[in-house]
Amino acid sequence: MSVSPYLTHLECTACHARLDVERARGLCPTCGRPLAARYDLAAVRRAVDRRDLAGRVPSMWRYREVLPLAPEAEPVSLGEGFTPLLPLPALARAHGLGAVWVKDESGNPTGSFKARGLSAAVTMARAFGATALALPSAGNAGGALAAYAAAAGLAAHVFVPEDCPRAFVVEATALGASVTLVPGVITDAGRRLREVAAADWVDLSTLKEPYRVEGKKTMGYELAEQLGWSLPDVILYPTGGGTGLVGMDKAFGELEELGWIPPGRRPRMVSVQVEGCAPIVRAFLAGAAEATPWEDPRTLAAGLRVPAAVGDRWMLEILRASSGTAIAVPEEEMLAGTLALSRALGVLVAPEGGAVLAAFERLVASGFVRPGERVVLFNTGSGLKYLEAVEAALAASGARAAG
Ligand SMILES: *Cc1c(COP(=O)(O)O)cnc(C)c1O
């Protein structure tokens, strides 16, 4: 038995249909919306105390009882997660805030937080007997799938936009994946995948299977643990497909049920996008329950070049329920933010992290972030995978790239 005894069932996030873990694959067979993993948290609560975690493996697998794999089975792990929460005291002081931290995901295997989701999804796909895995990617997910599939000894098929940053294509190919370049954006890559997929390929597209979210939710567990079992007032998250946002919200609900954090003290969740591709921001501001696809998405932040997200409804509900917001920043501010955040931290951040810093500055100026509050900014990846964008940022700032 490869499934955790605490994992009781899968539940549709829209129609709440209850499905069998061993049998259900993909989306809800009734309404086509994403499925979520549900655990017997009362049993977990009896079995583990949050203090038990201290001596455990410094990866996301330290939260073993709330992950889907059976305790005696080995996950496909490359040491993902348990990333640092880096304080920016000068920035906090400048704005009169209680604290500003950056949850820095750039040190993950393959240089982004996609490692978390793919560690969990590849682990479960292998546990259910898969031999070949596939997904469309705007960039980082392809590298992460290639890495975890290589570690698991499984075949990987990655479909990416033909103009995605070069490092993603080189990395996935070097790790042994078959990489297909597709004209257009990630949704076009997904369409091509479905056209050519062989019967034995398991589709690990964002939110089209439930376990990538289980990996991503560990960011929420880590934040709570690293902040001494408290949560910040505000979290800014660069949103493409939205798995991190829904994953953290899921974690906060589970943490409350486990009694590991006090109830009713959830952070205000902020979805950050760029003006060249902001479907969630547009829907949020319009008061809509669902997002309509963005026409002609353009941005160098590859992870945000996602014109349509399967989890749009789920994300919009979370933003509203948490009294959060959604904000799009201009491309120039995202590029300037990339350099500013890199220099403030001493970490070459991904442009998605740059967008978050730019959004933070705007939300402080608008009064959404209030004096004394504690804020977490997400840097979701490494700038080393985005040399084109970093060079564009340097050119725009008037500096010259060396060489
Ligand atoms: C994929 C990606 C995002 C968007 O993440 P979602 O959880 O899909 O919204 C943000 N930043 C980076 C670096 C990414 O690779």
Side-chain angles (χ1 to χ4, degrees):
M1 188 63 176
S2 44
V3 170
S4 166
Y6 297 115
L7 179 61
T8 52
H9 62 285
L10 301 178
E11 184 187 317
C12 175
T13 55
C15 76
H16 302 288
R18 196 184 159 104
L19 292 131
D20 185 80
V21 176
E22 295 283 346
R23 267 192 300 265
R25 297 285 181 270
L27 296 165
C28 174
T30 312
C31 72
R33 288 283 171 172
L35 300 175
R38 299 291 178 218
Y39 299 82
D40 182 351
L41 294 171
V44 175
R45 186 176 180 151
R46 285 191 300 273
V48 236
D49 187 280
R50 64 188 191 189
R51 280 173 308 212
D52 300 342
L53 298 171
R56 290 190 178 183
V57 55
S59 84
M60 71 174 204
W61 292 96
R62 69 199 279 105
Y63 308 108
R64 197 59 194 253
E65 289 83 356
V66 289
L67 288 171
L69 187 68
E72 66 279 7
E74 273 302 316
V76 184
S77 175
L78 299 168
E80 53 293 320
F82 218 58
T83 55
L85 190 59
L86 304 173
L88 287 177
L91 190 64
R93 242 184 343 264
H95 294 304
L97 299 173
V100 178
W101 293 278
V102 175
K103 181 70 168 157
D104 180 28
E105 293 288 302
S106 67
N108 274 304
T110 69
S112 90
F113 74 147
K114 293 290 195 299
R116 297 174 186 266
L118 272 310
S119 175
V122 172
T123 291
M124 295 312 286
R126 183 176 71 174
F128 292 132
T131 53
L133 310 172
L135 52 69
S137 170
N140 277 309
L145 173 63
Y148 287 92
L154 305 178
H157 301 273
V158 172
F159 292 74
V160 290
E162 61 187 2
D163 61 351
C164 86
R166 209 172 130 65
F168 298 129
V169 178
V170 174
E171 177 185 50
T173 310
L175 285 165
S178 107
V179 180
T180 305
L181 300 175
V182 180
V185 294
I186 184 171
T187 37
D188 302 299
R191 203 166 303 125
R192 174 70 67 80
L193 187 166
R194 290 188 293 278
E195 279 162 20
V196 305
D200 67 331
W201 292 10
V202 173
D203 184 351
L204 299 185
S205 299
T206 299
L207 292 175
K208 290 193 181 163
E209 59 76 56
Y211 301 113
R212 280 176 68 181
V213 169
E214 293 306 289
K216 291 277 187 80
K217 83 178 180 188
T218 58
M219 296 190 294
Y221 279 85
E222 286 174 27
L223 276 184
E225 187 180 357
Q226 290 172 321
L227 293 174
W229 304 107
S230 70
L231 293 175
D233 298 296
V234 181
I235 293 177
L236 274 72
Y237 178 80
T239 308
T243 49
L245 192 78
V246 303
M248 279 191 279
D249 181 74
K250 186 171 188 287
F252 299 153
E254 291 175 3
L255 282 161
E256 288 180 351
E257 244 185 284
L258 289 167
W260 292 3
I261 60 169
R265 305 268 303 275
R266 302 278 192 101
R268 311 206 292 291
M269 304 297 283
V270 179
S271 179
V272 176
Q273 299 193 307
V274 282
E275 285 182 351
C277 184
I280 299 301
V281 177
R282 180 169 67 187
F284 180 86
L285 296 178
E290 289 178 20
T292 50
W294 194 265
E295 329 52 40
D296 193 21
R298 280 170 201 265
T299 172
L300 288 171
L304 306 184
R305 199 161 155 236
V306 179
V310 196
D312 55 347
R313 235 173 210 284
W314 195 0
M315 277 190 271
L316 288 160
E317 276 169 19
I318 290 166
L319 297 176
R320 294 191 174 111
S322 76
S323 306
T325 190
I327 177 170
V329 299
E331 187 83 355
E332 317 79 80
E333 287 184 26
M334 178 270 282
L335 292 176
T338 304
L339 296 185
L341 187 58
S342 295
R343 291 168 186 181
L345 283 175
V347 171
L348 184 61
V349 304
E352 291 84 350
V356 164
L357 182 69
F360 166 77
E361 299 285 355
R362 284 183 168 231
L363 293 175
V364 170
S366 75
F368 178 88
V369 173
R370 298 187 290 263
E373 289 193 320
R374 307 191 318 157
V375 182
V376 168
L377 313 178
F378 266 85
N379 173 44
T380 41
S382 167
L384 284 173
K385 307 267 285 275
Y386 294 82
L387 293 183
E388 301 90 341
V390 176
E391 284 177 326
L394 287 170
S397 80
R400 281 194 318 146

